[in-house]
Amino acid sequence: MKSRKPNIIHFNFASISVHSTLMLVSLIAIFPVFWMVLTSLKPPGESFSTISSMFTRNPTISNYLSVSNLVPIYRNFFNSVFVSFFGTIATVFFCSLAGFSFAKFDFPGRNALFMVLLATMIIPPEASVIPVFIIMRNLGWINNLLSLIVPRAATAVGIFYMRQYINDFPDELMEQARIDGCNNFKIYWRILIPVIIPAISAWASLALVNRWNDFFWPLIFMRSREMFTLMVSISLLPVSEGLSTPWPVIMAGSSIAVLPLVIMYIVLSRFHLRELTSGAVKG
Amino acid sequence: MANQFANTVARIKKYWSCYVFIAPFFLLFFVFQFFPILWSFWLSFRKWNGLGPAEFVGLQNYIHLLTDRMFLNALGNTAIYWASGILIMIPIALVIAGLLNYRMLFGRNFYKTITFLPYITATVAVGLIFGIMFDYNSGLINQIIARFGGDPLRWLNSTKYSKIPVISLFIWRLTPWFTMILYTGLLNIPLELYEAATIDGANILQKFRKITVPSLSHILLFCFITVSVESWKIFSEPYILTRGGPGSSSLSIFQYLYVNGFTIFKLGYASAIGYVLTFILFAVSAMQFRLMNKWVKN
Amino acid sequence: MKFFRICLIFALVFSALPVFGHGGREAEIVDGTYPPGTMLLYGYGQPQYWLQFFTNYLEDNPNVGPGVRIQMVQTEGEADARQKAQMSFTAGAYSEMPDAVQTSPVSMQVMAEGGMLEDLTDFIRPMQDLFIPGTFDQVTYKGRIYGLPESLRPQLLFYNLDLFQEYGVDPEMMDTVEGYIEAGRLLKERSDGEVYLSYVDPGSFTWRYYGRRGFMPQANAKIWDDDGNVVIDTDQGARRAFETIATLMEEELLLEVNMFSPPLYEATRNGKIATYYMGAFWDEFMRANLQDMSGSWRAMPAPVYCDIGLRGAPVIGLYSITKKPGSVYGELYKEIWTDYHFNPESRKRWTDRMADQNAPYFVPITLEMLDDPYWRESSSFYGGQSFREMEIIGLSGSAENMRVTKDDAEADMLISAELELYIAGDQTMEQAISNMGKVLRLQIGSTDPK
């Protein structure tokens, strides 16, 4: 397969329209986030809802300090990192493994089990919070970060995605490996994983973001400020009844919640691209 | 018969490791979802405020849904959100993924990072910004409209337009998810296929129809199913932007379920809504599977 | 083999962690000293400031609970606090159950009915007369008291004095609802439509603040009659309240903008909003978001209908003590609550601290403490006017709160939806009122008026 890296910049119609469309898309994508960060740097009391007042002459970080006075930010940050990190690893591992099984083996009951899996994807688990809470309670996982990691260690969506992707994995490679004496797990670990790196890294970043931004479950299972994830603490800033947190402070909180992911994503995406191309070359 | 049975047993034995591979999911499902599902089913025939005994009311909750104007509005609104997910979000995602996959793209890494940004941001945070942008008096959108000589629109304050901010936020935030999925799918299509087609004189549209879409069919099916699930379960977008209003003009089903369960504490009724929602999702997904299968075969 | 090791670890984690049933603490209070442990509170709004009073108390009285830690769990709001407390109670998860939960009259009634709240009648009775009259009305359910009020805040009207002076309108005329509307007309006319009397929220806040807490009680309006039947569409008071809103809307005296949102503050800053009607809570919001307007604003008691003479209904802030098995900290909550209402020293110290942090605090609701000139100190944000004093004045002549029934949370949702459709311009007020009646009868039928 040929490399997808351009050698020279072309100035034909197609190239220009592709680049300008992407630039427009990027602008739309980045604008609200950009605005949020700008607002968080404004001293409280300055107006900011109109476009003409986007920038400030007196940028300040005092809003960030206010947030750290309102919530135990470091502890919350740690919780978020912990949950996102282990949650992502678990989910990628179990989903790809199960996806592999569903995609490549014709074991008895495969289709029926897969239909069951799809069906579960459709049922909103949020609808039955109370029994889930009772179960968590009996497991002793209330106010315990495990309750945010374990239940979604293997998700139906993830397995579905992995199956759809692995479907296109060539059977010959598997046969080859089997002849070489690999068992199924070895095939998964040694042969499949390197080839499906694009899918794994895609799913990992989606899962990571999902975990980081999760709001509903931590709010239910975590019962103290110290155990809240960053997202919960921040989300409570604006929505609480009767809360008069100034808007720039809310925006500072939101930036604190969003920026680590953005930075991490930018850092990872360098690495990520290299992996993607190497995966593509091997495939 | 006995032979067949023995055959199956033999195959189960042969494939034992497959069962181990999928076991974690089913184990988790059994522990954390199966009992709750049964419990909600039981509850959907009862009247309960979360304290004290639950009173059996038969099918009353389900029958009541048929005349509940708020529920019917929510049903219609959610169907519109769903349609916009299918008809707007997936095509946009596909186009962006295609652009990102453009061979002569300069700065691919940069665009990939930036276009993924919306998904990273929390809905709660961006929802507030969107609310300011769609404000009637001083919002950015109306300022742009005014600059082009149009009249400002009551985005958040009228029943006619209130779904548009919700859909905008929904699409803005979730498109990158699908772009990412589709882009990884595109990477798997050998470039040689396109080159051969170019030599045969195919234009972009033909290449798209004959090469891109068929090669992506597995991934596209996945996208259609997930976008359906996501849009039928849409919650935070209307919750943050409009609280479902004015009236119930932007209320989603899941939001109505939430209100019933956690604000006014009609837990039996909320469970019934949950079951109706599940049933709709089953029907929608089954329909998509059939259509997709037909389409792939053609 | 790595895979099996991982599986094994997961299986172990799964099977080893379940712990069934937590025993309650069996510790007791000895000589006024509480056993070590954690007192758990669920609050909303900005409960961390309320918590400071508690931690201060334990510091000042080291013998009371040397090993007691107080934990305040921030919840999203009233419904969320109730849901969490209720869920712990129903699941038997008593160790996660709060000792006291912040709540509202509706939820308090339901929780009391469900048997999860402590009956405080005998505790309150001896000191009831020391509070301003009517303090316990809203926390009484079926003749028993289930809540400990921390505050009772009046409805106040805030106005931008600069605007009134600029256009030569006398704020005094806003003492009546009729005068309030008239002031709006004058401001609008003299400013060529630049200045709006106030704002209107397109969502549920309009019903909550203009309806339930505002014009409805001021007009003696009813949603339910004494037998629990729906009368909102036939009641004269309700009609009057809704017609007031209709007048304000149809004469375009209100700027359409979301409450608590930056565009509202923006419009205020630009001199487009003349008054904030109503609720004492605007004090915190203005000080936090409109610091630059310091000195421009004043407060006055909410207006009255001239033939009825009632100001808005006061809003109660309250916590209820739960029946948490084996816990003694409910008693500690009562002890600190008593100190809060009867110890002027600790109360003033806390208030000073709150004022320094620009945090919310409340004026006392006990008669003796109210005599202290401390509660009449001037406030610089209001150009020297004493906001504290205004809060005290605002409480006199206030209307009684509307009857609260167990169905009122749902009724609020249904009524608000119809009112929102009116504000959006989809129906006339006449249609809105008649639809409110219809939909309440269809969805709720009748309620238990108790």
Side-chain angles (χ1 to χ4, degrees), chain C residues 287 350-361 374 388:
Chain C
R287 278 189 290 125
W350 177 74
T351 308
D352 285 339
R353 271 185 159 175
M354 293 298 109
D356 287 346
Q357 300 173 61
N358 213 356
Y361 59 84
Y374 177 83
R388 292 176 189 168

Side-chain angles (χ1 to χ4, degrees), chain B residues 43-60:
Chain B
L43 196 60
S44 73
F45 297 103
R46 274 161 181 81
K47 194 175 163 184
W48 193 45
N49 70 0
L51 281 167
E55 179 196 338
F56 182 77
V57 292
L59 281 171
Q60 198 189 306

Side-chain angles (χ1 to χ4, degrees), chain A residues 26 40 83 113 160 267 273:
Chain A
S26 306
S40 71
V83 168
L113 285 172
F160 183 23
V267 171
L273 185 88

Side-chain angles (χ1 to χ4, degrees), chain A residues 4 6 106 108 164 184 213, chain B residues 11 17 19 101 108 120 218:
Chain A
R4 283 163 204 250
D106 192 18
Q164 297 303 82
N184 289 342
N213 286 344
Chain B
R11 276 176 61 216
S17 59
Y19 295 102
N101 196 35
R108 189 188 319 274
I120 297 180
H218 280 134

Side-chain angles (χ1 to χ4, degrees), chain A residues 189-249:
Chain A
W189 194 250
R190 297 262 168 80
I191 317 282
L192 183 78
I193 292 268
V195 176
I196 60 163
I197 284 281
I200 286 191
S201 57
W203 193 253
S205 26
L206 297 177
L208 184 76
V209 171
N210 220 350
R211 291 305 168 90
W212 184 273
N213 286 344
D214 189 13
F215 168 69
F216 190 85
W217 293 111
L219 193 60
I220 302 269
F221 294 143
M222 299 298 122
R223 290 303 177 91
S224 64
R225 287 156 67 84
E226 284 70 30
M227 297 309 287
F228 281 164
T229 57
L230 196 55
M231 200 47 68
V232 173
S233 276
I234 298 303
S235 304
L236 286 174
L237 285 179
V239 294
S240 289
E241 280 171 27
L243 191 60
S244 49
T245 316
W247 275 74
V249 177

Side-chain angles (χ1 to χ4, degrees), chain C residues 12-31:
Chain C
L12 278 177
V13 167
F14 249 104
S15 52
L17 276 166
V19 182
F20 292 90
H22 282 254
R25 280 181 299 266
E26 293 302 325
E28 285 172 7
I29 312 165
V30 184
D31 299 331

Side-chain angles (χ1 to χ4, degrees), chain B residues 130-143:
Chain B
F130 267 68
I132 300 174
M133 290 201 316
F134 279 102
D135 178 65
Y136 172 65
N137 303 292
S138 54
L140 177 68
I141 309 279
N142 276 347
Q143 280 182 26

Side-chain angles (χ1 to χ4, degrees), chain C residues 32-53:
Chain C
T33 301
Y34 288 82
T38 305
M39 165 151 98
L40 195 56
L41 307 175
Y42 284 1
Y44 50 87
Q46 291 179 312
Q48 70 270 31
Y49 295 119
W50 177 227
L51 174 69
Q52 281 185 18
F53 190 87

